[in-house]
Amino acid sequence: EIVLTQSPGTLSLSPGERATLSCRASQSFSRSYLAWYQQKPGQAPRLLIYGASSRATGIPDRFSGSGSGTDFTLTISRLDPEDFAVYYCQQYGAFGQGTKLEIK
Amino acid sequence: EVQLVQSGAEVKKPGESLKISCKGSGYSFTTYWIGWVRQMPGKGLQWMGIIYPGDSETRYTPSFQGQVTISADNSISTAYLHWSSLKASDTAMYYCARLSSRYEDAFDIWGQGTMVTVSS
């Protein structure tokens, strides 16, 4: 059973800054089927990134994903006030525990 | 519009049974896996299991195997999550979501969630 570990648990930044979120998988897969989601309070998660680096429909280009094997990264180039939320990574069968992005 | 619409909030007592639903529309229901995801209060997302409505193949993660039953009724494009005997620890928000091969096994469409509260 795959385990995804996200870091940091909480990230405190200001609007306009760059955010870097990490996700490490307990095992490597030949295909980088890694997705990232954003969840705001009281809402269902929203797909941001799939296939490790492809943006889902309608996602702003300030969101980017990278990585392969067991190490993956979600980068938000310039934080907008609406970006402060909880972010989860996901591979088949599991989610990471989440990173809370909060306003500093 | 592609959407998943879930049944409403439930309040149950320990030991009672419950089935919640997730109705798909705007796409071919039988050709996409549907997953169920648990979110306990203040906690993260947990992958429970998935079903392929086309042939009813079902896969559970070990933590949920034997604890819940996932099913589907293609005639009404609806997936279900069933408990035979609820526990207080089943109190959570439950989401259904569509697993898309186009998006490389990511959940691209989500239901609005069903809050289940189990309390004596």
Side-chain angles (χ1 to χ4, degrees):
Chain A
E1 185 179 357
I2 188 170
V3 175
L4 299 174
T5 302
Q6 293 185 238
S7 61
T10 302
L11 186 57
S12 300
L13 294 170
S14 300
E17 290 192 296
R18 180 185 186 91
T20 302
L21 289 67
S22 296
C23 176
R24 175 164 290 178
S26 59
Q27 54 188 286
S28 178
F29 291 88
S30 58
R31 292 179 291 189
S32 294
Y33 281 16
L34 189 286
W36 290 93
Y37 301 84
Q38 176 193 69
Q39 188 179 34
K40 296 180 179 179
Q43 296 183 17
R46 176 175 71 144
L47 176 64
L48 300 175
I49 300 289
Y50 66 94
S53 60
S54 298
R55 276 187 301 277
T57 303
I59 302 304
D61 61 7
R62 64 179 182 273
F63 290 92
S64 63
S66 63
S68 63
T70 60
D71 291 294
F72 301 88
T73 300
L74 174 69
T75 301
I76 311 172
S77 59
R78 296 170 309 278
L79 284 166
D80 188 274
E82 67 182 15
D83 298 336
F84 292 92
V86 180
Y87 291 84
Y88 296 94
C89 61
Q90 173 251 318
Q91 281 190 326
Y92 182 89
F95 289 92
Q97 82 278 19
T99 290
K100 181 180 181 180
L101 180 55
E102 64 177 24
I103 298 178
K104 186 173 182 180
Chain B
E1 180 191 5
V2 176
Q3 59 180 350
L4 297 171
V5 178
Q6 298 185 229
S7 50
E10 301 274 3
V11 180
K12 291 288 191 178
K13 294 185 180 345
E16 292 185 330
S17 64
L18 175 65
K19 181 182 278 190
I20 62 175
S21 67
C22 169
K23 182 175 177 60
S25 62
Y27 74 99
S28 177
F29 183 74
T30 57
T31 60
Y32 287 83
W33 291 84
I34 291 285
W36 286 95
V37 177
R38 183 174 79 176
Q39 188 167 38
M40 300 177 78
K43 302 298 183 182
L45 305 173
Q46 295 175 281
W47 180 307
M48 300 176 71
I50 57 174
I51 186 167
Y52 189 74
D55 61 7
S56 295
E57 180 180 352
T58 309
R59 301 174 184 174
Y60 299 91
T61 56
S63 299
F64 293 96
Q65 180 79 49
Q67 306 304 308
V68 295
T69 302
I70 296 171
S71 61
D73 184 340
N74 294 341
S75 68
I76 53 173
S77 300
T78 300
Y80 299 97
L81 182 64
H82 174 252
W83 295 261
S84 58
S85 180
L86 286 160
K87 302 184 282 286
S89 57
D90 292 318
T91 294
M93 180 71 81
Y94 292 88
Y95 293 101
C96 65
R98 189 180 78 167
L99 194 68
S100 176
S101 58
R102 176 195 171 197
Y103 287 107
E104 300 180 17
D105 285 354
F107 291 115
D108 66 335
I109 304 295
W110 290 71
Q112 81 277 20
T114 296
M115 184 66 208
V116 174
T117 303
V118 183
S119 175
S120 55

